[in-house]
Amino acid sequence: MTTRDQVHVRSVRDEPASGDGHRVLVDRVWPRGVSKEDAALDDWLKEVGPSTELRQWFGHDPEKFDEFARRYEKELAGNEDWQTLQDLVAEHGRVTLLFGASDKENNQAVVLRDLLTR
């Protein structure tokens, strides 16, 4: 199994699936309208989420996504939760990164997956 097969990305609003493996919320802020029970999390790594400043600058504008990904990767340097996430992937084999944004293509979970699987 390649790392690409190990790391998945889903909305926290999606129904949990048996193939999700270890479910990790990677948002700094708890997603509105989602109960902790419905989220069915194994971990919430708040600090791995992008900073408030970066999130506000990005504003989920697809035109800014590539620059967002570059800035976000820089933010992760030395981040303890980023190391914890890498350890979780190594430990659990299959990890699903959960996000609260409505844009399923341009969000921090996609960036994290790409960093974890490259």
Side-chain angles (χ1 to χ4, degrees), residues 45-60:
L45 298 178
K46 295 178 196 181
E47 299 302 318
V48 83
S51 67
T52 300
E53 296 77 23
L54 182 57
R55 225 175 44 252
Q56 288 174 346
W57 171 84
F58 174 45
H60 295 283

Side-chain angles (χ1 to χ4, degrees), residues 11-24:
S11 170
V12 71
R13 291 173 179 81
D14 292 344
E15 195 68 32
S18 60
D20 283 349
H22 196 80
R23 293 171 51 90
V24 182

Side-chain angles (χ1 to χ4, degrees), residues 21-35:
H22 196 80
R23 293 171 51 90
V24 182
L25 180 63
V26 293
D27 280 8
R28 194 169 288 263
V29 179
W30 187 264
R32 266 182 266 171
V34 177
S35 74

Side-chain angles (χ1 to χ4, degrees), residues 62-108:
E63 300 277 318
K64 293 181 176 178
F65 184 70
D66 289 340
E67 180 61 23
F68 166 76
R70 279 190 288 281
R71 292 181 185 192
Y72 184 32
E73 183 176 1
K74 284 183 183 171
E75 277 191 357
L76 291 170
N79 180 310
E80 285 183 33
D81 275 359
W82 169 232
Q83 185 59 56
T84 299
L85 183 58
Q86 293 172 78
D87 295 344
L88 286 172
V89 171
E91 179 182 335
H92 290 281
R94 183 175 214 103
V95 173
T96 297
L97 306 177
L98 303 169
F99 62 90
S102 57
D103 186 337
K104 294 181 187 257
E105 314 266 320
N106 302 294
N107 62 66
Q108 74 275 9

